[in-house]
Amino acid sequence: MSDAFDPQPAADFLLAAYRAGRQHAELPEAIRPRTMTEGYDIQDRLFAALGETCAGWKLAIGSAKGKRTSGVGRSIAGRVLRGQLHEPGVALRMPHAGPVTIEFEVAYVIARDIDPGAPAVEAAHVVAETRVAFELVLSRFFDRRAVGWPSFAADNSAFQALVIGPALDPADLPGLARSLVVTVDGTERARAVTGEDLTDPLAALADLMAVARERGMTIPAGSLVSTGTLSVPFDLTGPGTVTASFLGRTLAFTLLPV
C-alpha cells in the first residue's frame, strides 16, 4: 500500500467550511498535512474547487522574527481571490462572527510574467507598481496559529479579503511607516510594527518567487502581491469603519454586522 499523502479530503473539508461560514478546531488527524508541501498541495486543490480567479497572492509570517520562530524560514503564501479583492471604501460582511484580523500592508503589482523555469531575478526588478492595502485575515480554524503552519497554508493562509489602495513612490516607504495610524471609528488601534516584527516587502516577494519556482507556478504580469503586515495586527469583533492615515492620504473600508 502507498502512504502517499492525498490532499483531496482536507481540501473538501476546508471547502465545506468556506461554504458554510464555519470554523473548526483543526483538520482531522487522518487528513492533516505534515509538511509545507502537503499544505500547499491542499491549498491548490481548495483553490481549484472554489472556482475563483487568482488575482495574486498574500504573504504571512514574513518578518525576521516570524521566519525564525515559525521554523518555515520564509513567508507563507496564499491566493488573493478575485471575488475578494475590493476597492477603497467598500462595505464588507464577514461569513461569521469570529474575530477578523486587520493588517495594513504594502502590495506590489507584478510587471511581467515570472516563469518558474526562467533564471532567478531580484524581486525589485519585477515590480511595476507599489501600492498599499488592507488584508482581512479570517481562518477556517478558531486559532490559525495553533493548528500548525502546514494546516495554515492549506487554509489559503487564512485569506479572507484584500482592500487595495493607491500607488506610492517606493522612496516614500520609510515615511509611510513613520506616519501610519490605523483607526476604527476614529479611535486609534495600531501604528507600524518595528524591529524584528517588521516585514521587508521585497524580501517577502522574493519568498513568493521561491515558492512559485519550487511548485512550478507562473506569477502572471498584473498580479497583486500583498507582502505582509506593516501595522501591528489587531482583531475586530464587531462592525466599524477602519481607516489608515499615512503620508497625508487615507485608505478605508467598513465592516458590516454579521
Side-chain angles (χ1 to χ4, degrees):
M1 290 181 61
S2 171
D3 61 354
F5 180 76
D6 180 3
Q8 195 61 51
D12 292 342
F13 183 96
L14 290 168
L15 179 65
Y18 262 96
R19 289 179 171 166
R22 183 178 302 145
Q23 289 180 302
H24 297 276
E26 59 189 356
L27 285 167
E29 185 174 0
I31 63 173
R32 193 179 305 157
R34 299 156 295 183
T35 66
M36 290 302 297
T37 294
E38 291 176 354
Y40 282 129
D41 288 345
I42 295 168
Q43 183 188 129
D44 290 348
R45 297 289 186 93
L46 174 62
F47 170 68
L50 285 167
E52 283 266 15
T53 301
C54 181
W57 283 265
K58 56 77 52 102
L59 294 158
I61 323 298
S63 67
K65 180 179 178 181
K67 291 181 186 184
R68 184 179 68 249
T69 60
S70 70
V72 177
R74 63 186 178 202
S75 306
I76 301 174
R79 268 97 165 176
V80 172
L81 308 179
R82 178 72 63 185
Q84 291 168 277
L85 177 63
H86 304 282
E87 296 296 319
V90 67
L92 298 173
R93 198 181 308 276
M94 297 295 100
H96 55 73
V100 57
T101 302
I102 308 299
E103 299 180 350
F104 181 82
E105 309 195 351
V106 171
Y108 292 125
V109 180
I110 300 303
R112 57 181 174 82
D113 287 359
I114 306 172
D115 188 320
V121 296
E122 291 186 19
H125 296 165
V126 301
V127 173
E129 196 172 57
T130 301
R131 305 184 75 169
V132 294
F134 272 117
E135 186 190 354
L136 282 68
V137 181
L138 189 62
S139 178
R140 271 44 65 181
F141 303 116
F142 294 119
D143 186 339
R144 63 185 182 270
R145 294 174 181 267
V147 297
W149 298 120
S151 288
F152 174 84
D155 181 35
N156 199 30
S157 298
F159 175 76
Q160 179 61 37
L162 194 73
V163 180
I164 190 71
L168 298 176
D169 185 330
D172 288 337
L173 290 182
L176 171 66
R178 288 192 298 269
S179 64
L180 177 64
V181 180
V182 182
T183 63
V184 178
D185 294 333
T187 299
E188 182 177 324
R189 292 294 304 271
R191 289 181 181 259
V193 295
T194 58
E196 284 197 318
D197 291 319
L198 185 63
T199 295
D200 178 339
L202 285 174
L205 174 56
D207 288 342
L208 173 65
M209 292 163 67
V211 171
R213 277 197 304 275
E214 289 177 5
R215 299 194 60 79
M217 298 189 307
T218 296
I219 302 175
S223 296
L224 283 165
V225 179
S226 201
T227 58
T229 190
L230 179 67
S231 62
V232 176
F234 64 91
D235 288 345
L236 197 56
T237 55
T241 296
V242 181
T243 304
S245 301
F246 55 93
L247 299 171
R249 308 168 78 175
T250 61
L251 174 63
F253 70 93
T254 297
L255 201 62
L256 299 172
V258 174

